[in-house]
Amino acid sequence: MSRLSSATLGDLPDTVERSRYDRTDVKRGVVHLGIGAFHRAHQAVFFDDCLNAGDLRWGITAASLRSPTVREQMTPQDGLYTVLVRDGASEQARIIGAVGEVLVAPEDPAALIAAMAHPDTHIVTLTITEKGYKLDPATGALLADDPQVAADSADLTAPQTAPGYLVAALAVRKAAGLAPFTAISCDNLPHNGRRLRNAVLDLAARHDRALAEWIEREGAFPETMVDRIVPATTDADIAALEARLGVEDRAMVKTEPFTQWVIEDCFCGPRPDFGAGVQITAAVAPWEEAKLRLLNGAHSGIAYLGGLAGIDHVHEVLENPAARRFVEGLWDEAEATLSPPPELDVAAYRYDLMARFDNSTLMHRTRQIAMDGSQKLPQRLVATIATRLARGEGITMLALAVAAWMRWQGALDDRGAAYVVDDPMAALTAERLNGAVTAEAQVDALLGIEAIFPPALAADPVVRAALIGHLESLSTRGAVATIEAL
Ligand code: CS2
């Protein structure tokens, strides 16, 4: 069976949407770090829209910071891939042509630095997951003791971290008399622009104070809110698409119809004239907070409770009315902490969110969302709890989501099945739980992790009592009986 590529593009069924521009005329104004499924289904589509609209400056050089997997999927396909939008019976396929090249950073660090320092490059976008920023999740400070940060603090010829690549490339641009690029974090971090900027300035100052000052003065790190549910692609997805297209596409991504990108109006160079789905605004924080606390907060709660119950997919968890009541209850608690932007109708947003979670054709795995909880909890659940505590408000549902995360760290689900806790702090949580038998001891062991729980919150008796009560119930009755008894 042949592969999707420039040569086979003409053989696709007419129903498949294709680029309307000549790919050979495209300049690569964007370098993307972290070419996972999310980038391919989100930012790359918006840049493809710009190219379709005739502005040919916005092609993408994409980089993987670790493995060659995506390069091996995309390069034989000339960088082409399908975005498959699924909802109910409807399924739309669109071929994206925006990615011109995929680099694998560790194989040739100089090539990636050169691409970022190229005069055509105006924007560097990042989807490197929360842990890729090398920041303390609770405080946002650079993890100076991390071995990769330490390596990048000493030498940047072969950077180990994304902030390291940004500093190395910005140094080359400064030396060449070029303007910096606009660096756009597209990860679900609170104040992601500010956090990325802090990481870059901190690391730059370790090398060259004048460089750090130049980046601070001339550079731009807009805040963003990114939203699109993009489950990991499975072999079955690839086989089903092949049956439909007549060619194999190993780089396909599947996603939902919904997509949104809110970007702070803070660019230091050319700004694409984005089309529908992108909002440029002065204040991103209210959007970001609403999204992190409602969508991502509920997602994490569903992932841990569902995962403990042995339920594989988000929509299956929500088949239980008790799970829907839990989500609505968590949203009631979270909504009261928000200062939503005037354009955001929170009631409608919640209604639409539930429908997005119910999308059964996506097959979004609870395990995928459960990953890296230590990096996600602070902005999704803990900050919301802190706001409510300060006002003397209840935290029942939020605390249940956190207690479910605590039980998840035990690596055994309610049926006694073992799984691997996929988290950069998994060794630490396992060590802390070692010998902690009672719910009290387990809660105390995990609440003591300052990178996740601010000490004042961890010391609050209301938090401790709520977590112990929920964890006790989760451990003795299981996740399903716990939510049914709420
Ligand atoms: C999810 C997000 O995996 C996760 O942690 O909560 O990836 C979520 O699907 C996106 O943020 C939706 O925009």
Side-chain angles (χ1 to χ4, degrees):
M1 178 57 75
S2 64
R3 284 286 277 280
L4 173 67
S5 70
S6 309
T8 58
L9 208 48
D11 305 337
L12 301 181
D14 292 343
T15 50
V16 176
E17 198 183 328
R18 274 154 264 213
S19 320
R20 294 190 293 273
Y21 50 91
D22 182 347
R23 292 183 84 210
T24 55
D25 293 339
V26 170
K27 284 194 173 163
R28 296 213 283 269
V30 182
V31 173
H32 181 76
L33 306 186
I35 172 94
F38 184 66
H39 172 71
R40 279 175 277 158
H42 188 269
Q43 306 98 62
V45 178
F46 291 120
F47 288 117
D48 199 64
D49 288 341
C50 294
L51 298 172
N52 271 336
D55 185 349
L56 298 184
R57 289 174 298 170
W58 304 111
I60 302 168
T61 300
S64 163
L65 296 185
R66 286 188 300 268
S67 89
T69 310
V70 177
R71 192 257 324 268
E72 277 152 22
Q73 291 163 344
M74 293 186 73
T75 303
Q77 301 183 180
D78 305 314
L80 298 171
Y81 65 94
T82 313
V83 172
L84 191 65
V85 174
R86 283 186 179 163
D87 193 10
S90 102
E91 195 176 81
Q92 276 174 293
R94 167 171 168 186
I95 308 295
I96 302 296
V99 180
E101 188 180 9
V102 182
L103 304 173
V104 181
E107 286 177 6
D108 190 354
L112 176 53
I113 294 170
M116 295 166 79
H118 194 281
D120 285 347
T121 300
H122 304 300
I123 291 178
V124 172
T125 48
L126 300 93
T127 53
I128 53 174
T129 80
E130 295 87 343
K131 61 180 180 271
Y133 292 82
K134 299 287 175 187
L135 300 170
D136 180 289
T139 65
L142 189 67
L143 297 173
D145 294 337
D146 177 280
Q148 293 182 316
V149 175
D152 283 0
S153 304
D155 177 37
L156 282 173
T157 33
Q160 307 288 305
T161 68
Y165 272 102
L166 292 180
V167 174
L170 287 166
V172 178
R173 294 185 79 95
K174 177 170 181 280
L178 290 171
F181 42 71
T182 300
I184 310 182
S185 163
C186 304
D187 285 293
N188 289 312
L189 287 174
H191 295 293
N192 53 10
R194 201 186 300 166
R195 287 202 177 203
L196 176 60
R197 180 173 184 269
N198 287 347
V200 168
L201 292 181
D202 187 329
L203 193 60
R206 288 160 196 259
H207 290 274
D208 176 354
R209 190 145 288 285
L211 173 64
E213 283 164 9
W214 178 77
I215 299 172
E216 190 167 14
R217 206 175 50 244
E218 314 274 334
F221 299 83
E223 310 267 35
T224 65
M225 185 274 259
V226 289
D227 191 5
R228 191 168 218 187
I229 294 175
V230 188
T233 307
T234 64
D235 290 342
D237 294 325
I238 294 174
L241 184 67
E242 182 176 335
R244 180 171 160 192
L245 297 189
V247 296
E248 186 187 33
D249 176 2
R250 291 201 197 144
M252 67 159 284
V253 289
K254 61 174 175 181
T255 188
E256 59 175 344
F258 185 93
T259 183
Q260 191 179 20
W261 195 6
V262 184
I263 312 177
E264 185 185 5
D265 191 2
C266 157
F267 284 67
C268 59
R271 191 185 87 193
D273 192 4
F274 287 114
V278 180
Q279 285 156 262
I280 307 285
T281 169
V284 173
W287 289 101
E288 172 201 87
E289 202 171 76
K291 192 258 173 175
L292 287 171
R293 293 185 181 188
L294 296 173
L295 189 159
N296 297 112
H299 244 177
S300 289
I302 292 168
Y304 298 118
L305 289 163
L308 289 170
I311 305 174
D312 282 339
H313 302 105
V314 170
H315 71 278
E316 292 158 354
V317 177
L318 294 174
E319 282 164 10
N320 183 341
R324 306 179 87 79
R325 286 196 301 273
F326 157 74
V327 170
E328 292 288 354
L330 186 139
W331 284 342
D332 288 341
E333 291 178 6
E335 182 179 340
T337 70
L338 302 174
S339 318
E343 306 93 306
L344 182 66
D345 175 346
V346 180
Y349 183 74
R350 284 174 53 160
Y351 182 85
D352 292 345
L353 259 188
M354 193 65 99
R356 292 170 63 193
F357 290 171
D358 280 334
N359 184 340
S360 62
T361 53
L362 284 182
M363 303 294 277
H364 198 186
R365 297 194 72 212
T366 49
R367 290 265 171 103
Q368 184 183 347
I369 303 167
M371 233 171 74
D372 294 346
S374 67
Q375 313 292 306
K376 295 174 174 173
L377 249 52
Q379 56 274 20
R380 296 181 178 205
L381 299 164
V382 179
T384 325
I385 292 178
T387 306
R388 290 187 65 88
L389 283 178
R391 300 190 197 151
E393 294 166 351
I395 55 164
T396 306
M397 305 297 178
L398 292 159
L400 176 55
V402 174
W405 170 80
M406 290 181 157
R407 180 153 159 78
W408 183 257
Q409 303 312 300
L412 277 184
D413 74 12
D414 292 345
R415 304 160 307 174
Y419 51 84
V420 174
V421 178
D422 192 343
D423 192 304
M425 290 194 184
L428 174 70
T429 55
E431 184 193 310
R432 286 189 163 242
L433 286 175
N434 191 14
V437 181
T438 62
E440 277 95 334
Q442 291 169 353
V443 165
D444 288 339
L446 298 178
L447 265 185
I449 303 177
E450 286 187 24
I452 306 175
F453 302 103
L457 180 132
D460 192 309
V462 174
V463 174
R464 190 168 172 270
L467 290 172
I468 291 170
H470 286 316
L471 189 56
E472 183 77 53
S473 173
L474 290 171
S475 314
T476 52
R477 298 198 276 188
V480 172
T482 297
I483 53 169
E484 284 174 351
L486 275 173

